[in-house]
Amino acid sequence: WGKYDPVDLVKQDMLRYGIEPTDFDHEEAGAVIDLMTHITMLYLHCQFRNLSRKRTKLTVCLQELGKLQVYTEILDLKLYKEISGQEKPTKENPDPLRLMFSNYVVEFVLSVMIQFVKLGLALELYNDHEYPVMFWYLDFLYGRWSVVKNTTMDFR
């Protein structure tokens, strides 16, 4: 940890995930990486809190991740234009067969959302009649995560 800058750690993680190194050269990629680094540091910081504080800090992370998702979608659309020459993906011209920044962020968001719901279960924040809905929601989140994972595995 002491040898690396947090920005470099996020870049290395993105590279391991499968994002193309050339995508980092885009002018807006730096802002996305900086914001992802900030969120990663917030996320790591909240892991050292007690359970009730952790849930509050995860709320802040989710708010920041919402902003990051908007930025990554804009960046991915610009990268798509550069790669394909098309304005936006259509049925005839789908997304390029490669991983984009938004894939990376969606996986992170899903894992934080799952942790958030599970913390609510651990802290017994839900009433008895809410448990079926919470378990349905966890099943939904795990299902979405599975779909994203399977889709990204096709690109590797």
Side-chain angles (χ1 to χ4, degrees), residues 4-91:
Y4 299 105
D5 181 32
V7 173
D8 292 335
L9 291 173
V10 169
K11 280 184 180 179
Q12 287 177 5
D13 191 46
M14 287 179 169
L15 288 170
R16 273 193 299 274
Y17 183 78
I19 294 176
E20 297 288 326
T22 56
D23 290 349
F24 294 132
D25 298 336
H26 196 276
E27 59 193 37
E28 294 180 20
V32 166
I33 292 167
D34 287 343
L35 187 53
M36 185 64 205
T37 303
H38 169 70
I39 293 168
T40 302
M41 297 306 287
L42 280 174
Y43 179 75
L44 292 173
H45 179 72
C46 81
Q47 298 305 311
F48 299 107
R49 300 288 183 180
N50 63 32
L51 293 183
S52 60
R53 292 284 314 230
K54 185 184 290 190
R55 193 169 153 93
T56 304
K57 295 294 183 181
L58 283 177
T59 303
V60 174
C61 284
L62 287 169
Q63 291 170 344
E64 293 292 314
L65 283 165
K67 287 192 283 188
L68 181 62
Q69 281 184 296
V70 171
Y71 294 144
T72 56
E73 288 171 9
I74 291 169
L75 175 59
D76 286 349
L77 187 58
K78 289 180 180 182
L79 288 169
Y80 179 79
K81 287 178 187 177
E82 291 175 10
I83 293 167
S84 68
Q86 303 291 324
E87 267 312 295
K88 60 182 179 179
T90 61
K91 198 176 233 181

Side-chain angles (χ1 to χ4, degrees), residues 84-113:
S84 68
Q86 303 291 324
E87 267 312 295
K88 60 182 179 179
T90 61
K91 198 176 233 181
E92 297 80 31
N93 298 307
D95 286 336
L97 295 177
R98 57 188 267 184
L99 292 171
M100 304 296 260
F101 288 99
S102 54
N103 299 92
Y104 179 83
V105 173
V106 165
E107 270 196 54
F108 190 76
V109 168
L110 287 170
S111 67
V112 173
M113 289 173 76

